[in-house]
Amino acid sequence: MKIQKEKPTTLQWLKMSFVVALYLAFLIWIKSWWGLIVVPFIYDAYISRKIPWTWWKDAENPVVRTVMGWVDAVVFALVAVYFVNIYFFQNYTIPSSSLEKSLLVGDYLFVSKMSYGPRAPQTPLSMPLTQHTLPVLGCKSYLDWPKWDYKRVPGGKVQLNDIVVFNYPAGDTVALNPAYQAADYYALCYGYGEQLYAQIHGSVPLMDSLTTWQQRQVYDRYYALGRSFLRENPGEFGKIGTRPVDRRENYVKRCVGLPGQTLQIKDHVVYLDGKANKEPDNVQYNYRVVLKTDLPVALARELDISNEDLQMLYHTGYVPLTQKAYERLSSCKDVVETIAYDSTAATEGIYPLNGHTGWTRDNYGPVWIPARGKAVKLTLENLPVYERPIRVYEGNDLKVIDGKIYINGKPADSYTFKMDYYWMQGDNRHNSADSRYWGFVPEDHVVGKPILIWLSLDKDRGWFDGHVRWNRIFSIVDNIK
């Protein structure tokens, strides 16, 4: 007896049509057609059902049914997590003290990707729950192909003083030895290059005695020497690798400058268009402290000084403090001999690395923050500030030949930006690798906004001694100013 195949119902046709239309709209949005290979699967799964995708449910062997049931559940969970992480929400752990005491090491954040509009992934084929490297295996957790252009669903705008999660802008190139992966590759190049230059020539030039064009030539030489040194010593630095935007490390900082604003830091205070920006309540700065005796444990806990900061104090004489902690420690005359603000004015490592500005972490700029559709007049003096956005983030061929600027082969005295940019700084101002060291954050690097602290663990304390910071659990990040 011939069994007649059941025809799809109108509801099934409508469901399938909606799913296919939604999927095709997504492919059109990201301008990629490779995903059309999925359309036949969608059709068969919803309508024809000629392929027994769940054949294991009819298997006679109960072990096969059990194992495949678990495999099916795990695959479904991974796919679900993949899409949730990419387009909706992601968990994030605070790994460093750059935002203390606003966000603490050991805070677990619930990050909303909907707040600023979710991005289409640049590298869609990747292992869920990994950023760029597979655990244990140590290899890449993503495929370089296919690669999608930057697209973002319209969402809210980054607001001044928002805490933002973003991809590390200078992380496009990295020395893959674990000892150097956290280091700024470009800072390594310029640093080692300057040392090699001094070895070759006996000394380094005094930049103040050179013209801007001569300074640029020296910095280019530093970079070329350092870059070659890193690549010629894989035993120390590992291979030199590159990472697409969405596979660079996740950073979290506070946005203290918006597109189109002119930012300047004067005596550690951030000014925007000439007006002082309100500092976070828990902003920290380093203080030089001379102790009469070791800091009592009870006092250190009262001031919320971590073990890491205590070690810094005992080894260097400096410790980061909030204004409240500074005033309290200053009053402890039996413990403290002297205490003073750390006014160190080192210029080493300050952005731009290839420009002689004299700027420091406490006195920086002024610098105009690029905005989409706005133009900046280019000179040899300000080119180092805008060179990386023009060349790297917006993909132009920028060269300087005989002191003249060329963009995409044509002489240029100005440039109109295609993206918005942001200025990010940590609240632990003297212990934060931020925009003062690697420059602007392009809009395509913005990941999302921390919404909630769902767990907070103090690594310096035991489980029965305050390891869980109960007072921070379910705290709203927007309420932390």
Side-chain angles (χ1 to χ4, degrees):
M1 179 178 176
K2 187 177 181 180
I3 300 175
Q4 187 173 4
K5 191 174 182 66
E6 183 181 353
K7 293 183 179 180
T9 65
T10 302
L11 181 61
Q12 286 177 313
W13 276 109
L14 289 174
K15 184 190 295 185
M16 188 277 285
S17 300
F18 174 75
V19 171
V20 171
L22 192 64
Y23 184 72
L24 290 176
F26 175 75
L27 293 179
I28 293 171
W29 177 58
I30 62 173
K31 296 182 180 179
S32 173
W33 294 102
W34 69 270
L36 284 176
I37 60 177
V38 180
V39 172
F41 166 76
I42 296 176
Y43 176 82
D44 184 74
Y46 278 96
I47 299 299
S48 67
R49 300 184 179 179
K50 291 182 178 180
I51 301 175
W53 300 101
T54 57
W55 58 268
W56 48 270
K57 290 184 178 180
D58 298 323
E60 295 182 1
N61 191 327
V63 175
V64 172
R65 293 198 301 270
T66 301
V67 171
M68 290 305 300
W70 277 103
V71 170
D72 180 64
V74 169
V75 170
F76 176 81
L78 287 175
V79 171
V81 168
Y82 173 82
F83 280 100
V84 169
N85 272 358
I86 287 180
Y87 297 109
F88 299 98
F89 304 104
Q90 183 176 351
N91 289 320
Y92 182 83
T93 307
I94 298 295
S96 70
S97 61
S98 66
L99 266 172
E100 292 199 354
K101 292 297 192 264
S102 299
L103 293 179
L104 307 180
V105 174
D107 281 349
Y108 289 76
L109 305 177
F110 190 64
V111 177
S112 166
K113 296 189 174 182
M114 303 295 289
S115 296
Y116 306 128
R119 301 177 299 180
Q122 186 172 350
T123 50
L125 298 184
S126 65
M127 179 63 67
L129 301 177
T130 62
Q131 182 61 18
H132 48 67
T133 305
L134 284 175
V136 181
L137 298 178
C139 60
K140 291 195 304 184
S141 63
Y142 60 93
L143 297 181
D144 291 313
W145 185 92
K147 188 170 286 186
W148 295 343
D149 294 334
Y150 168 62
K151 292 283 185 179
R152 185 184 293 275
V153 176
K157 294 288 187 180
V158 176
Q159 302 297 314
L160 189 63
N161 296 319
D162 274 1
I163 295 176
V164 181
V165 174
F166 55 91
N167 295 117
Y168 176 39
D172 57 337
T173 307
V174 61
L176 294 178
N177 184 329
Y180 290 94
Q181 281 198 33
D184 185 324
Y185 168 79
Y186 300 100
L188 289 175
C189 287
Y190 282 105
Y192 281 107
E194 184 174 359
Q195 295 177 33
L196 291 168
Y197 187 100
Q199 292 176 14
I200 295 170
H201 299 280
S203 63
V204 296
L206 295 174
M207 290 295 180
D208 287 330
S209 66
L210 305 179
T211 65
T212 305
W213 170 233
Q214 290 171 331
Q215 290 173 4
R216 181 178 182 88
Q217 291 175 301
V218 171
Y219 282 120
D220 286 348
R221 182 61 177 153
Y222 288 169
Y223 179 74
L225 286 170
R227 183 174 180 270
S228 296
F229 179 72
L230 265 64
R231 293 179 182 273
E232 291 168 2
N233 289 275
E236 179 178 357
F237 301 103
K239 293 182 179 180
I240 305 303
T242 59
R243 289 173 179 163
V245 171
D246 60 340
R247 296 299 154 193
R248 297 170 194 173
E249 295 288 355
N250 287 325
Y251 271 36
V252 57
K253 307 287 180 186
R254 189 181 297 274
C255 177
V256 299
L258 295 174
Q261 293 183 318
T262 297
L263 176 142
Q264 185 172 13
I265 304 173
K266 295 188 289 186
D267 295 329
H268 73 70
V269 177
V270 175
Y271 288 80
L272 298 171
D273 298 329
K275 297 180 179 179
N277 185 36
K278 181 185 180 302
E279 291 191 318
D281 294 339
N282 291 313
V283 68
Q284 289 193 132
Y285 295 99
N286 283 356
Y287 289 84
R288 172 68 170 165
V289 179
V290 178
L291 295 172
K292 295 179 180 178
T293 181
D294 285 350
L295 205 63
V297 174
L299 180 58
R301 288 194 173 185
E302 178 189 342
L303 300 176
D304 204 11
I305 297 176
S306 67
N307 289 346
E308 179 183 347
D309 290 342
L310 271 180
Q311 293 304 312
M312 175 181 170
L313 172 60
Y314 293 143
H315 283 87
T316 68
Y318 294 93
V319 66
L321 299 170
T322 63
Q323 180 63 27
K324 184 178 178 180
Y326 161 74
E327 293 171 356
R328 174 70 178 94
L329 190 57
S330 300
S331 68
C332 299
K333 303 301 183 183
D334 56 330
V335 176
V336 176
E337 186 170 317
T338 60
I339 182 170
Y341 180 84
D342 177 13
S343 57
T344 303
T347 60
E348 184 178 352
I350 296 294
Y351 180 85
L353 296 172
N354 63 336
H356 182 61
T357 61
W359 297 343
T360 71
R361 64 186 181 184
D362 281 349
N363 289 280
Y364 189 101
V367 60
W368 178 74
I369 304 172
R372 187 193 303 118
K374 301 294 184 181
V376 64
K377 182 175 177 60
L378 295 177
T379 65
L380 285 182
E381 285 73 21
N382 72 1
L383 182 62
V385 174
Y386 300 109
E387 182 172 359
R388 185 167 174 82
I390 295 171
R391 174 187 285 144
V392 179
Y393 304 143
E394 303 203 354
N396 296 284
D397 176 28
L398 187 153
K399 295 179 180 177
V400 179
I401 303 174
D402 295 330
K404 296 183 179 179
I405 302 169
Y406 292 82
I407 298 179
N408 299 324
K410 298 179 180 179
D413 59 5
S414 67
Y415 179 79
T416 300
F417 289 94
K418 303 172 185 175
M419 290 192 292
D420 283 330
Y421 292 79
Y422 303 90
W423 194 265
M424 306 288 187
Q425 289 188 197
D427 293 352
N428 193 357
R429 292 290 166 84
H430 287 167
N431 300 281
S432 173
D434 52 38
S435 286
R436 293 169 294 175
Y437 300 92
W438 35 253
F440 310 106
V441 175
E443 66 175 70
D444 67 343
H445 284 55
V446 173
V447 174
K449 181 179 181 179
I451 300 296
L452 181 76
I453 300 172
W454 62 271
L455 179 64
S456 185
L457 302 177
D458 188 339
K459 66 178 182 179
D460 294 336
R461 301 194 183 190
W463 285 103
F464 300 103
D465 186 33
H467 184 59
V468 179
R469 303 186 187 104
W470 295 103
N471 63 316
R472 295 184 66 81
I473 293 180
F474 300 129
S475 297
I476 305 300
V477 174
D478 267 350
N479 295 335
I480 301 174
K481 299 300 184 182

